[in-house]
Amino acid sequence: MQFSDLIDTKKQGKALSEAQIHFWIEGYVKGWIPDYQVSALCMAIYFQGMNKQEIAWLCEAMLYSGEVMDLTEIAGKKADKHSTGGVGDKTSLALAPMVAACGGKIAKMSGRGLGHTGGTLDKAEAISGFQVSLGKERFIQQVNAIGLALIGQSKHFVPADQLLYALRDVSGTVDSLPLIATSIMSKKLAAGADTILLDVKYGSGAFMHTPKQAKELAMVMIELGKHFGKDTRAMITDMNQPLGNAIGNALEVKEAIATLQGHGPKDFVELCLCAGSIMLVQSELAKDRTQARAMLQDSITSGKALAKLKALCEWQGGDVKQIADPSLLPQAEYVIPILAKQEGYVSMLHALRLGQLAMRLGAGRNTKEDRIDSAVGIVLHKKAGSQVHIGESLAYVHTNRPLEDAWLHDFYEAYEFRKEKPTISPLIYEIIE
């Protein structure tokens, strides 16, 4: 079998066979097939798509390209959650401790930043000493002991996705529905959880631009989850503006801590409460979402959720002092206020542009070899629907180098204003159970 035949087949819009897909994944993992050929196939898939059977075969091939975690030694239902990515999405850092504080078991495998979106592992590693590589025995021991663990992919788990994930980032094929769905679900399935909650985002800061596209992706992933016997549900959420106020790794850790202390941004808190409610129902720890929501709110007011975050850091080598005192997290050399030049109401705040601006500061990766600067980013003071007067602060920029005029120009371009107060779309568009 010649790999060029696979490229030609998909280029012509034809379906790949099960044998061809397994040849692709096995050959890429073992080094028989080079990056440039796989890039060509990914681009063909980007334009031509894949049918349901191809997607199922690809997910299966990726899933079994490495070990699959057996979590039967952990008592109770094991829950996992995944976001398709967005700007300012630090949800796992607050949500996992909240659910664990309510008795949930969170066995979470997370990824790194992809394109303009931040990765959970990059955020966690902003905490000094935090280790995301855990052996299977330690992973299981930790979840049994404190109810949660946060790990990255080792070379043993879904190695096919590790290779494809990095390649897609630099080959313009990030926002391909089949490649997104199989990437996410192969990791979720390999992590061994019993239940999966998907936060599928749409808008200018997401890979899916419309609610319709997001729902299409969600349904494909739910079908994959159910095919493998997992309770899989989804939320469709708005990412036309950043989630919360902080964009950038250490800054987002600070915001997650603030949320667990009871004073997080309204939109971010609502997302955590909604997602956590579904997860507790999936785990059979609450009879319905109303009861689950009350449990989650109590985990914050009682301090139990924050205690879980501290325990997570302690177990994984992180500096717990930075959780107790977030000012000890990485700090940028410059903190620069950006002042409004016009007044009115913010009618649009372009998440994608802000994510790209944060990346230009060093908060994200342009190539898979780039190193992330944990300290840099943006903290927003005005978001869509906010009233603004000339001279008021739109945001603070945290940077380790002076801001260039071009950067400032692009920042102002991320804001749109109008005289009348706009109607803001709800954060949570739909829940699919």
Side-chain angles (χ1 to χ4, degrees):
M1 190 181 297
Q2 297 294 319
F3 194 78
S4 57
D5 294 337
L6 277 70
I7 299 171
D8 286 337
T9 297
K10 184 50 63 179
K11 184 176 67 176
Q12 295 168 26
K14 298 177 182 178
L16 298 174
S17 69
E18 183 177 12
Q20 286 176 316
I21 288 172
H22 280 271
F23 170 70
W24 162 24
I25 296 303
E26 182 183 10
Y28 192 38
V29 170
K30 292 184 177 179
W32 306 336
I33 303 168
D35 274 356
Y36 62 83
Q37 283 194 306
V38 177
S39 293
L41 179 58
C42 287
M43 187 59 73
I45 290 170
Y46 177 88
F47 284 111
Q48 298 290 359
M50 300 180 92
N51 63 37
K52 289 183 179 181
Q53 184 62 76
E54 286 178 288
I55 292 172
W57 284 332
L58 178 56
C59 186
E60 183 178 41
M62 291 170 64
L63 168 63
Y64 293 112
S65 66
E67 295 179 9
V68 176
M69 190 80 80
D70 180 358
L71 300 181
T72 54
E73 295 178 37
I74 300 174
K77 287 199 172 187
K78 281 70 69 177
D80 200 355
K81 168 263 172 193
H82 181 83
S83 167
T84 55
V87 181
D89 187 1
K90 72 288 295 178
T91 307
S92 294
L93 296 179
L95 175 62
M98 289 165 63
V99 174
C102 296
K105 299 292 177 65
I106 310 298
K108 181 149 180 56
M109 181 183 288
S110 294
R112 298 196 177 278
L114 186 64
H116 65 276
T117 65
T120 298
L121 298 184
D122 299 315
K123 302 180 204 303
E125 289 179 337
I127 303 168
S128 298
F130 197 101
Q131 299 296 316
V132 298
S133 297
L134 299 178
K136 178 182 175 182
E137 291 184 5
R138 177 58 184 266
F139 181 73
I140 291 172
Q141 179 190 16
Q142 183 174 321
V143 177
N144 272 325
I146 65 170
L148 75 164
L150 173 63
I151 64 170
Q153 290 173 255
S154 74
K155 63 182 179 179
H156 304 294
F157 291 98
V158 202
D161 184 62
Q162 293 184 58
L163 294 168
L164 287 171
Y165 196 83
L167 187 66
R168 287 166 53 216
D169 192 17
V170 295
S171 63
T173 55
V174 167
D175 52 342
S176 162
L177 188 150
L179 299 180
I180 293 174
T182 52
S183 172
I184 292 170
M185 293 307 296
S186 63
K187 291 195 292 285
K188 297 299 101 182
L189 294 165
D194 301 307
T195 72
I196 301 169
L197 174 63
L198 303 163
D199 179 5
V200 185
K201 298 188 178 297
Y202 72 91
S204 69
F207 300 130
M208 301 292 107
H209 293 157
T210 67
K212 181 180 178 181
Q213 291 173 333
K215 187 170 183 177
E216 182 182 2
L217 174 60
M219 295 306 296
V220 170
M221 292 193 291
I222 288 172
E223 191 170 312
L224 283 172
K226 290 182 177 179
H227 176 77
F228 286 93
K230 306 295 184 180
D231 179 343
T232 308
R233 309 184 192 189
M235 305 162 58
I236 309 298
T237 64
D238 190 338
M239 184 47 73
N240 279 303
Q241 65 173 336
L243 180 62
N245 299 326
I247 309 167
N249 298 289
L251 297 172
E252 293 186 45
V253 173
K254 291 178 184 178
E255 191 159 89
I257 294 168
T259 298
L260 297 181
Q261 292 172 332
H263 47 267
K266 184 178 178 180
D267 60 340
F268 180 57
V269 172
E270 178 57 30
L271 185 72
C272 289
L273 290 173
C274 184
S277 297
I278 298 169
M279 293 175 73
L280 289 178
V281 172
Q282 285 180 294
S283 298
E284 299 180 352
L285 293 169
K287 63 181 180 180
D288 55 35
R289 296 209 306 266
T290 300
Q291 180 188 22
R293 189 181 183 97
M295 293 166 63
L296 292 162
Q297 289 173 324
D298 179 70
S299 78
I300 294 173
T301 56
S302 67
K304 293 178 181 177
L306 184 62
K308 284 293 183 183
L309 179 60
K310 291 178 179 177
L312 175 68
C313 286
E314 187 172 7
W315 272 77
Q316 295 192 220
D319 186 351
V320 180
K321 292 179 181 177
Q322 293 181 332
I323 307 302
D325 182 3
S327 68
L328 298 175
L329 287 161
Q331 302 273 356
E333 184 177 355
Y334 305 102
V335 180
I336 303 170
I338 308 297
L339 306 181
K341 294 181 177 180
Q342 54 184 305
E343 61 183 27
Y345 290 92
V346 180
S347 60
M348 180 69 73
L349 184 56
H350 294 277
L352 173 59
R353 294 182 189 177
L354 289 168
Q356 292 170 336
L357 285 164
M359 198 165 71
R360 282 159 60 182
L361 294 173
R365 295 180 179 87
N366 281 308
T367 70
K368 58 186 179 182
E369 290 81 19
D370 284 351
R371 297 187 65 181
I372 282 180
D373 186 341
S374 295
V376 302
I378 304 166
V379 178
L380 301 167
H381 296 159
K382 300 291 184 180
K383 296 181 66 178
S386 298
Q387 187 173 18
V388 178
H389 299 286
I390 293 174
E392 280 191 299
S393 173
L394 295 175
Y396 278 119
V397 179
H398 297 246
T399 176
N400 283 321
R401 53 181 180 265
L403 294 178
E404 298 175 350
D405 290 342
W407 193 97
L408 286 168
H409 173 270
D410 291 345
F411 178 87
Y412 283 114
E413 288 292 307
Y415 277 81
E416 292 184 19
F417 294 89
R418 58 184 294 182
K419 292 182 179 180
E420 302 82 19
K421 188 170 184 176
T423 300
I424 305 302
S425 300
L427 175 65
I428 299 166
Y429 178 83
E430 186 176 354
I431 294 172
I432 305 172
E433 296 184 282

